[in-house]
Amino acid sequence: MKLCEIINVGTELLLGEILNRDAQILCDRLAGLGISVRRALTVGDNPGRLREDFLLALGRSDIVILTGGLGPTADDLTKETVAEALGLPLVEDAAQMAKIEAFFRRRGIPPGESNRKQALVPAGCTVLYNENGTAPGCFIRHGEKAVALLPGPPRELSPMLENSLLPLLAPFGSGVIVSHYVRTVRLGESRMAEMAAPLLDMENPTVAPYAKEGEAYLRVSAHGETREAAEALCAPVIKKLREILGDWVYAVDKDLAQTVLDLLAEQGKTLALAESCTGGGIAARLTDIPGASKAFTCAFVTYSNEAKISMLGVSRDTLAKRGAVSAETAREMALGARERSGADIAVSVTGIAGPGAEGTDKPAGLIYLAATDGARIIGEKMETGRADRGYNRVAAAKTALALVRDLLSQPRKLTVNPK
Amino acid sequence: MKLCEIINVGTELLLGEILNRDAQILCDRLAGLGISVRRALTVGDNPGRLREDFLLALGRSDIVILTGGLGPTADDLTKETVAEALGLPLVEDAAQMAKIEAFFRRRGIPPGESNRKQALVPAGCTVLYNENGTAPGCFIRHGEKAVALLPGPPRELSPMLENSLLPLLAPFGSGVIVSHYVRTVRLGESRMAEMAAPLLDMENPTVAPYAKEGEAYLRVSAHGETREAAEALCAPVIKKLREILGDWVYAVDKDLAQTVLDLLAEQGKTLALAESCTGGGIAARLTDIPGASKAFTCAFVTYSNEAKISMLGVSRDTLAKRGAVSAETAREMALGARERSGADIAVSVTGIAGPGAEGTDKPAGLIYLAATDGARIIGEKMETGRADRGYNRVAAAKTALALVRDLLSQPRKLTVNPK
């Protein structure tokens, strides 16, 4: 298996000003090619140390990928440092210069010297043109080894990696690693891991449990000569996990919001939301997905009691007697949202997000939800026991989507409890 | 200035399964102590390579901080590897063993051998007890140098760093680095940098331009013997930047959502939202902040045309003649939201988030906004020219908040245009 090292260049990374997303993006995609990343190093904008670390990495690995430091300003020195270390002169790339000139022509000003510098590339390299920024990347063959330079911003790096660099690196790959995610909701990581225990000690594919944002999932990862071979190793294990975990599994790979949108679209149904403590978070999660408008119609984000009354028709009496955070209020919110929106299904959330008790005597993490499709209404109470506002809001959003999935996927099994 | 290297241990990081947040957390907090992080390295669960990289780091730096690999399972080897490399035996820590036994007593089962392993620490170290997990960290003096081990999960690492490790590292700090962020909205990074150009070449404090999610900001960072000295260096530069950038600056340090919530609270006013293409994203951003309920009352997330009509009273005629993405629709959404919510101020957004044109002949990135306080109504049109759904949604949310700030901070200057 070919070995790779990653070097992310940028003083802002070492000052903690920016989260390093590039390393994860690269590691993930290289693993998919069957290239093993041995080290991922972050260094500052210091040519001396960069040169030293680059040569060390090149000496012990087959591939070195550097990110960042390709911009036009004085502290952007990755290209210069690497070219010098490899003994390559920098030469002007005509196509890149034409792109720069066209860019400035549109703006009606001539390019400055620092902009022209961006057309210089190490002699003999393959230029990776940048469709989302002004700095080109490059791919350099160095004997049997390879060196690649990519821009730092993830939205420039990702498409360049996908479209230009990965095809060039494919010959370095050894077979293919394929990963799938068997995703559950409500189950919890430890219980999921106990249920899946007989499969957690395999070698190929490997099965590993993870938990994130109120969900638990199992990664099934196989290595094969071809994609087909790796997929063939995964398939029976995924099938077995589905059998073991049953209805806890809501999807393989697809996330919960997409799963719910797809179920709605398949059944030609629409969804409305009534959100209190999640404060628009469920709507934002659904509408992050292109095409959400096919099934998602509207959300009533009723943060105040008055809004619950006027926008959803929750009764003043219920709020006074039971409180805004109660099963009754959740129920009236869901019924009101469905009726007023005309949607087929409505789901509601009301709770104490935390960190404090928000003027009530109820604990942070106490959350009530309800969902209705007109014929049925189902409810759920959560007690996370946590004061973590971010966690509680995400966990509540996930449970709300799980309730919608229940209505859509279990046409008969639910307790029917119409008003 | 003392030099530090960070080593994050975990094969899951090199497979791209987990985003490395630990490095940023550590870099940020160490910079605040005046400790310079020179390298941040990620390596896998391989004792041989870890030993090699650890000794290299220890040889050239004053402090080495390792994270991860402290768990109970067989591939958790950081503690063993570091202790061996430093020639320290592992000894049982009585207090940690008592914690482990208490933990298992509560669960009614005896601890296994792998759990008992977690009470072993390098001889002579300071144990950093873990309030959020089972793996303790440790701090080791090695001559003039220091080595620290922290658990990998950020929610265990962060409190241990803050409460236990930073006080132990303080003697290694050289003075204090203080950073402030002068934040602007609508201005754009290049224009902001041009305006601030005379201040961008200073040594202490340094002033550096950044752009993120539709905002541009300047980081002012000073190094001083004490916090007060560093603050005294920052203050006149921040004042000067405020003068140069004028009303483009909405706050120093505080983000836009918090700025708007604070302005609303100061003036005793409430806010309602009418969101289409942002799909609940503005509400979610505001309600992420504890105490948002003081000023934020509700959001009408009207994704479909029918919802715009029924929830906000947008006229069918306007939607037919001008379209959902138009200045007129934005205006009617804002007026409807204010009237129906009873809030003092309402702001609306309608646009094409992308990546596609969503069945219209309008381009992705075309967004209309309106805000009203009853006496006045102001509007804004954005054309980002980008098909990036995530960017367009965030940029629209920022502009919406900027419009609310306009109404709150400029009682007279605005074009008054009541309906």
Side-chain angles (χ1 to χ4, degrees):
Chain A
M1 209 169 188
K2 297 288 183 185
L3 305 184
C4 177
E5 299 200 25
I6 293 169
I7 302 179
N8 302 116
V9 185
T11 299
E12 68 279 18
L13 293 164
L14 290 183
L15 287 172
E17 286 163 6
I18 290 181
L19 183 62
N20 183 355
R21 295 184 187 278
D22 291 350
Q24 187 188 20
I25 296 168
L26 284 165
C27 287
D28 174 62
R29 302 301 287 127
L30 291 167
L33 273 189
I35 292 171
S36 175
V37 178
R38 281 292 164 89
R39 288 178 179 84
L41 175 69
T42 304
V43 296
D45 301 313
N46 177 299
R49 279 196 295 276
L50 175 58
R51 186 178 200 281
E52 178 189 333
D53 288 318
F54 168 64
L55 288 174
L56 188 62
L58 189 65
R60 64 192 172 194
S61 294
D62 305 294
I63 304 165
V64 182
I65 301 179
L66 300 99
T67 73
L70 301 183
T73 64
D75 62 356
D76 290 312
L77 291 164
T78 305
K79 189 168 61 182
E80 289 74 3
T81 304
V82 167
E84 189 276 323
L86 295 175
L88 298 172
L90 289 172
V91 297
E92 188 177 302
D93 181 70
Q96 179 62 30
M97 183 56 89
K99 277 169 72 90
I100 292 169
E101 282 169 349
F103 177 80
F104 281 91
R105 206 174 306 124
R106 281 196 301 274
R107 297 177 66 188
I109 49 171
E113 203 47 52
S114 64
N115 305 112
R116 292 184 165 275
K117 189 186 107 167
Q118 298 207 289
L120 296 177
V121 297
C125 79
T126 303
V127 181
L128 313 177
Y129 296 102
N130 189 338
E131 302 304 324
N132 302 285
T134 56
C138 65
F139 176 80
I140 306 164
R141 288 301 307 243
H142 181 73
E144 293 298 303
K145 303 192 175 197
V147 175
L149 277 65
L150 296 174
R155 51 177 288 277
E156 299 180 27
L157 175 138
S158 279
M160 190 183 288
L161 173 67
E162 213 63 45
N163 304 327
S164 306
L165 183 57
L166 289 181
L168 292 166
L169 289 177
F172 291 81
S174 69
V176 174
I177 296 175
V178 165
S179 293
H180 291 290
Y181 299 86
V182 177
R183 305 179 69 131
T184 72
V185 67
R186 292 201 187 99
L187 179 56
E189 186 185 11
S190 59
R191 204 170 145 207
M192 179 187 74
E194 279 165 31
M195 291 171 77
L199 296 173
L200 295 185
D201 287 327
M202 299 171 63
E203 289 283 333
N204 191 23
T206 57
V207 180
Y210 294 91
K212 197 177 140 193
E213 297 197 326
E215 285 188 39
Y217 59 94
L218 292 150
R219 178 177 54 83
V220 179
S221 201
H223 180 253
E225 296 254 320
T226 61
R227 173 163 295 276
E228 291 67 34
E231 292 286 6
L233 288 165
C234 288
V237 175
I238 292 171
K239 182 158 175 280
K240 185 79 191 160
L241 287 170
R242 276 189 174 277
E243 283 167 23
I244 293 171
L245 298 168
D247 201 46
W248 295 111
V249 177
Y250 69 78
V252 175
D253 298 330
K254 214 167 24 173
D255 79 9
L256 187 54
Q258 183 75 63
T259 300
V260 166
L261 286 177
D262 287 353
L263 280 171
L264 287 164
E266 279 161 24
Q267 300 183 22
K269 289 187 176 151
T270 56
L271 175 67
L273 308 171
E275 301 193 47
S276 185
C277 65
T278 48
I282 310 174
R285 201 168 277 268
L286 289 169
T287 59
D288 256 343
I289 299 170
S293 57
K294 279 194 208 77
F296 172 69
T297 62
C298 66
F300 302 82
V301 183
T302 55
Y303 221 53
S304 68
N305 278 357
E306 283 309 312
K308 290 180 184 70
I309 296 165
S310 70
M311 287 167 70
L312 292 170
V314 174
S315 87
R316 209 172 281 278
D317 192 52
T318 300
L319 289 169
K321 287 195 184 136
R322 306 290 184 160
V325 178
S326 65
E328 293 74 10
T329 297
R331 186 189 167 88
E332 291 183 24
M333 287 171 68
L335 291 168
R338 185 173 177 279
E339 187 188 313
R340 296 187 179 207
S341 66
D344 297 304
I345 293 176
V347 63
S348 70
V349 187
T350 180
I352 313 284
E358 293 165 25
T360 73
D361 56 357
K362 292 172 180 171
L366 175 68
I367 299 154
Y368 291 92
L369 304 100
T372 179
D373 61 2
R376 303 169 294 173
I377 183 160
I378 54 178
E380 187 152 336
K381 178 185 180 183
M382 299 171 68
E383 291 175 279
T384 70
R386 291 167 70 161
D388 181 337
R389 185 176 183 88
Y391 176 86
N392 287 333
R393 282 160 53 91
V394 170
K398 294 279 172 80
T399 305
L401 293 172
L403 281 172
V404 177
R405 172 178 170 263
D406 290 344
L407 286 175
L408 289 165
S409 63
Q410 304 180 345
R412 281 171 303 273
K413 272 196 284 177
L414 298 169
T415 311
V416 178
N417 180 17
K419 188 161 187 173
Chain B
M1 209 170 188
K2 297 288 182 185
L3 305 184
C4 178
E5 300 200 25
I6 293 168
I7 302 180
N8 303 115
V9 185
T11 299
E12 67 280 18
L13 293 165
L14 290 183
L15 286 172
E17 285 161 8
I18 290 181
L19 184 61
N20 182 355
R21 296 185 185 278
D22 291 350
Q24 186 188 22
I25 295 167
L26 284 164
C27 287
D28 174 63
R29 302 301 288 125
L30 291 166
L33 274 189
I35 292 171
S36 176
V37 178
R38 281 294 163 88
R39 288 179 179 84
L41 175 68
T42 304
V43 295
D45 301 313
N46 178 300
R49 280 195 295 277
L50 175 57
R51 186 178 198 282
E52 177 190 336
D53 288 317
F54 168 65
L55 288 173
L56 187 63
L58 189 66
R60 64 193 172 193
S61 295
D62 304 294
I63 303 165
V64 181
I65 301 179
L66 300 100
T67 73
L70 301 183
T73 64
D75 61 355
D76 291 312
L77 291 164
T78 305
K79 190 169 61 183
E80 289 75 5
T81 303
V82 167
E84 189 275 325
L86 295 174
L88 299 172
L90 290 173
V91 297
E92 187 178 301
D93 181 70
Q96 179 62 31
M97 184 56 90
K99 278 169 72 89
I100 290 168
E101 282 169 349
F103 177 81
F104 280 90
R105 205 174 306 123
R106 282 196 300 275
R107 297 177 67 188
I109 49 170
E113 203 46 53
S114 64
N115 305 113
R116 293 185 164 274
K117 189 187 108 170
Q118 297 206 290
L120 296 177
V121 298
C125 79
T126 304
V127 181
L128 313 176
Y129 297 103
N130 189 338
E131 302 304 324
N132 302 285
T134 55
C138 66
F139 176 80
I140 306 165
R141 289 301 307 242
H142 182 74
E144 294 298 303
K145 304 193 176 196
V147 175
L149 277 64
L150 296 174
R155 52 180 288 275
E156 299 180 28
L157 175 138
S158 279
M160 190 183 289
L161 173 68
E162 213 64 43
N163 304 328
S164 306
L165 184 58
L166 289 180
L168 292 166
L169 289 177
F172 290 82
S174 68
V176 174
I177 296 175
V178 166
S179 293
H180 291 291
Y181 299 86
V182 177
R183 304 179 69 130
T184 72
V185 67
R186 289 202 188 97
L187 179 56
E189 186 183 11
S190 59
R191 204 169 145 206
M192 179 187 74
E194 279 165 29
M195 292 171 77
L199 296 173
L200 295 185
D201 288 328
M202 299 172 61
E203 289 283 334
N204 191 24
T206 56
V207 180
Y210 293 91
K212 197 178 140 192
E213 296 198 326
E215 285 188 40
Y217 58 94
L218 292 150
R219 177 176 53 84
V220 179
S221 199
H223 179 251
E225 296 253 322
T226 61
R227 173 163 294 276
E228 292 66 36
E231 293 285 4
L233 288 165
C234 286
V237 175
I238 291 171
K239 183 158 174 278
K240 185 78 191 163
L241 287 171
R242 276 188 175 278
E243 283 166 23
I244 292 172
L245 297 169
D247 200 48
W248 296 112
V249 177
Y250 70 77
V252 175
D253 298 330
K254 212 165 29 171
D255 79 9
L256 187 53
Q258 184 75 62
T259 301
V260 166
L261 285 176
D262 287 353
L263 280 171
L264 288 163
E266 280 162 24
Q267 300 182 23
K269 289 187 175 149
T270 55
L271 176 66
L273 308 172
E275 301 194 47
S276 185
C277 65
T278 48
I282 310 175
R285 201 168 278 267
L286 290 169
T287 59
D288 257 343
I289 300 171
S293 57
K294 282 194 207 74
F296 171 68
T297 62
C298 66
F300 303 82
V301 182
T302 54
Y303 221 53
S304 67
N305 277 359
E306 282 310 312
K308 291 180 183 72
I309 295 165
S310 69
M311 287 167 70
L312 292 169
V314 173
S315 86
R316 209 172 280 278
D317 193 52
T318 300
L319 289 169
K321 285 195 188 138
R322 306 291 183 161
V325 178
S326 65
E328 291 75 9
T329 297
R331 186 189 168 88
E332 291 182 25
M333 286 171 69
L335 291 168
R338 184 173 178 280
E339 189 189 311
R340 297 187 177 207
S341 66
D344 298 304
I345 293 177
V347 64
S348 70
V349 188
T350 180
I352 312 283
E358 293 166 24
T360 74
D361 55 357
K362 292 171 180 171
L366 175 69
I367 299 154
Y368 291 92
L369 304 99
T372 179
D373 62 2
R376 303 168 294 173
I377 182 160
I378 53 177
E380 187 153 335
K381 178 185 179 182
M382 300 172 68
E383 290 173 281
T384 70
R386 291 165 69 160
D388 181 337
R389 186 176 182 90
Y391 176 87
N392 287 332
R393 281 160 54 93
V394 170
K398 294 279 172 80
T399 305
L401 294 171
L403 281 173
V404 177
R405 173 179 170 262
D406 291 344
L407 288 174
L408 290 164
S409 64
Q410 305 180 346
R412 282 171 302 275
K413 271 197 285 176
L414 297 170
T415 311
V416 177
N417 179 19
K419 186 155 189 180

